[in-house]
Amino acid sequence: MTMRYSALTALAGLGALAGCATVPAPSVAARVVVVPSKQLEISAVRVQDNVSSVLVRGRVARRTIMPGAIWGHLHIEAWRGGERVTWADARWSTLSRHRLPTSGFGAMLAVPPAQIDEIRISHVATAHRRACQAGACS
């Protein structure tokens, strides 16, 4: 009888711990806008509240079946009232047509969640980045 009671108690305790471990992080109320890309499909975007910052994660997949690498990065911006508050760049691992058709990305925005209304995610090709570094972008 005591063996059964202790086993049930242990199972109940493990169930309570598992429940604590599976509680999702609070999400942010900001609207997420994904800018369409010719090369990448951006999906499964999740935005999590980390008290003084915002974690943005998601998946990317190639849109076309063309061989070769897809260059560039994801540009993630936080906006409030029509003004950009902060931004971050995110990269992804290799996208293969056969083995790994999707890849994950993630970036931390150093701004409290209450200070943003919108999060914009866009793919920036390498050529565009070089033009911006030369001062020729808007």
Side-chain angles (χ1 to χ4, degrees):
M1 177 99 170
T2 58
M3 185 65 144
R4 180 186 291 171
Y5 178 73
S6 63
L8 287 174
T9 304
L11 284 175
L14 286 175
L17 286 176
C20 291
T22 59
V23 173
S27 62
V28 177
R31 182 176 78 135
V32 176
V33 176
V34 176
V35 178
S37 166
K38 291 180 181 179
Q39 296 177 318
L40 286 179
E41 179 179 343
I42 303 167
S43 63
V45 176
R46 296 178 306 281
V47 180
Q48 294 177 342
D49 177 353
N50 285 346
V51 182
S52 63
S53 61
V54 175
L55 175 63
V56 180
R57 297 186 309 177
R59 309 282 306 160
V60 294
R62 53 174 70 241
R63 281 199 183 275
T64 63
I65 58 171
M66 294 176 60
I70 297 175
W71 300 103
H73 63 275
L74 295 179
H75 192 68
I76 303 170
E77 302 173 327
W79 291 77
R80 176 160 184 113
E83 293 185 19
R84 187 173 70 180
V85 178
T86 189
W87 61 273
D89 288 337
R91 307 221 185 283
W92 58 87
S93 61
T94 305
L95 289 170
S96 169
R97 287 183 300 147
H98 305 291
R99 199 178 56 140
L100 296 171
T102 66
S103 180
F105 71 88
M108 186 73 69
L109 298 173
V111 61
Q115 293 182 6
I116 58 175
D117 299 329
E118 183 176 277
I119 296 172
R120 295 181 193 168
I121 305 172
S122 60
H123 172 236
V124 178
T126 306
H128 181 267
R129 184 175 187 180
R130 285 189 196 127
C132 287
Q133 288 174 344
C137 69
S138 54

